[in-house]
């Protein structure tokens, strides 16, 4: 049967698929739009499966903060090439997924994938997008931060984002939050303070410190003390509140925030980077 240009355009508007793909699907489905949509979805599933082992090192990071400023969410949608990552439709899709996750109260990537999306699930929609774009697409990370005040930051390249949760707030919270978020983006702290450092990391740093001291010819009875000194230096350089403030190295982040408002501090943070 003959398929009109109007029908092809209608299916394209419904699915976002290419003109030729829509025409082929409609022809195969003998003009049945529902069947044509299924055909396009199946094509997407085949493309998705064939690209399952590809790496997604490009993409975008998007953030959202509730109206009262007490809850922030951050999501990364990744793809294979920078060309796709810079596509407006790809960025809009990332924002749509984040908004849906916020609306439905999702707390993990798995929960987002199971959410309904245009009569299918988000997971199925991603398969469709994979078929349409021809690249592997995935939600790589999704995090939620709740605090007295949450401040977001997206780096200029769109591939690095941070959420900062603050307590005992006062003064210019937005500026302070952005300053700290930029610190996190640049310095990539491993934890909020030394109590938040993973035990395996602590053990590794102590062992490295001992080996370094041993290689320097230090006596065995001094190795433990030297290693603990190196561990304290590690804490200062790699935990957020103890780090030197990049805008004023005479202060730590803890001191900077306390200067903005007495007792203000960071209760939580999340950093997502692509690539």
């Amino acid at each position: 049967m003959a398929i009109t240009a109007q029908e092809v355009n209608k299916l394209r508007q419904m699915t976002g698929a290419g003109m030729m793909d829509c025409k082929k699907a409609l022809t195969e489905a003998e003009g049945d739009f529902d069947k044509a949509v299924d055909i396009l979805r199946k094509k997407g599933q085949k493309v998705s499966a064939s690209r399952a082992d590809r790496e997604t090192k490009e993409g975008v990071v998007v953030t959202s903060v509730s109206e009262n400023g007490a809850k922030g969410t951050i999501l990364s949608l990744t793809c294979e090439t920078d060309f796709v990552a810079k596509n407006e439709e790809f960025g809009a899709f990332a924002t749509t997924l984040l908004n849906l996750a916020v609306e439905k109260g999702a707390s993990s990537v798995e929960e987002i994938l199971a959410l309904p999306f245009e009569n299918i699930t988000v997971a199925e929609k991603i398969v469709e997008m994979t078929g349409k774009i021809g690249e592997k697409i995935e939600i790589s990370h999704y995090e939620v931060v709740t605090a007295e005040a949450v401040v977001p930051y997206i780096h200029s390249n769109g591939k690095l984002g941070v959420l900062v949760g603050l307590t005992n707030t006062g003064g210019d919270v937005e500026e302070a939050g952005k300053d700290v978020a930029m610190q996190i983006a640049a310095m990539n702290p491993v934890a909020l303070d030394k109590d938040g450092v993973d035990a395996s990391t602590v053990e590794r740093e102590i062992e490295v410190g001992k080996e370094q001291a041993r290689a320097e010819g230090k006596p065995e009875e001094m190795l433990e003390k030297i290693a603990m000194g190196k561990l304290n230096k590690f804490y200062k350089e790699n935990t957020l509140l103890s780090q030197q403030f990049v805008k004023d190295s005479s202060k730590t982040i803890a001191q900077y925030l306390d200067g903005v408002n007495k007792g203000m501090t960071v209760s939580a943070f999340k950093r997502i980077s692509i690539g």
Side-chain angles (χ1 to χ4, degrees), residues 43-63:
K43 178 187 175 184
Q45 289 166 355
K46 290 177 182 177
V47 172
S48 180
S50 70
R51 307 189 79 85
D53 61 344
R54 300 295 187 95
E55 292 187 356
T56 55
K57 293 185 175 181
E58 299 292 341
V60 294
V61 178
V62 289
T63 62

Side-chain angles (χ1 to χ4, degrees), residues 71-74 106-108 142-146 163 270:
K71 182 178 181 180
T73 51
I74 184 169
S107 59
S108 67
Y142 175 72
E143 301 285 354
V144 180
V145 171
T146 56
L163 290 177
K270 297 294 181 181

Side-chain angles (χ1 to χ4, degrees), residues 180 183 240-241 243-245 251-257:
V180 175
Q183 172 94 15
L240 177 62
L241 295 176
Q243 283 182 339
Q244 288 184 330
F245 182 32
K251 301 176 182 177
T252 63
I253 289 295
Q255 291 168 338
Y256 163 64
L257 289 174

Side-chain angles (χ1 to χ4, degrees), residues 4 37 59 94 104 116 118 126 136 147 156 174 225 228:
T4 67
V37 170
K104 301 298 183 181
E118 297 175 354
I126 288 175
K136 182 179 179 181
S156 58
E174 286 296 321
K225 183 177 181 180
M228 293 308 295

Side-chain angles (χ1 to χ4, degrees), residues 100-134:
L100 179 63
V102 172
E103 178 189 345
K104 301 298 183 181
S107 59
S108 67
V109 171
E110 291 72 24
E111 288 185 16
I112 298 173
L113 293 174
L115 291 174
F117 190 110
E118 297 175 354
N119 298 318
I120 53 178
T121 65
V122 169
E124 290 170 323
K125 184 63 179 179
I126 288 175
V127 169
E128 282 190 6
M129 291 289 287
T130 297
K132 177 185 174 183
I133 293 173

Side-chain angles (χ1 to χ4, degrees), residues 124-238:
E124 290 170 323
K125 184 63 179 179
I126 288 175
V127 169
E128 282 190 6
M129 291 289 287
T130 297
K132 177 185 174 183
I133 293 173
E135 285 192 12
K136 182 179 179 181
I137 298 170
E138 59 184 348
I139 302 173
S140 296
H141 296 91
Y142 175 72
E143 301 285 354
V144 180
V145 171
T146 56
E148 188 177 320
V150 179
V151 179
Y153 169 74
I154 296 290
H155 192 58
S156 58
N157 65 4
K159 299 177 183 179
L160 171 61
V162 175
L163 290 177
V164 178
L166 300 169
T167 59
N168 298 319
T169 56
D172 193 336
V173 175
E174 286 296 321
E175 182 179 355
K178 186 175 181 182
D179 280 342
V180 175
M182 292 176 70
Q183 172 94 15
I184 294 166
M187 304 304 292
N188 194 16
V190 299
L192 185 61
D193 53 32
K194 67 178 184 178
D195 293 332
V197 179
D198 183 81
S200 62
T201 300
V202 174
E203 184 177 336
R204 184 178 68 249
E205 290 300 318
I206 291 174
E207 288 305 311
V208 169
K210 287 181 179 179
E211 286 303 316
Q212 288 175 340
R214 188 175 286 118
E216 293 168 0
K218 304 297 183 183
E220 286 293 319
E221 63 270 19
M222 293 292 294
L223 298 187
E224 186 74 24
K225 183 177 181 180
I226 293 171
M228 293 308 295
K230 290 179 179 292
L231 179 62
N232 286 329
K233 182 181 179 182
F234 172 84
Y235 287 146
K236 289 180 180 179
E237 293 177 349
N238 295 280

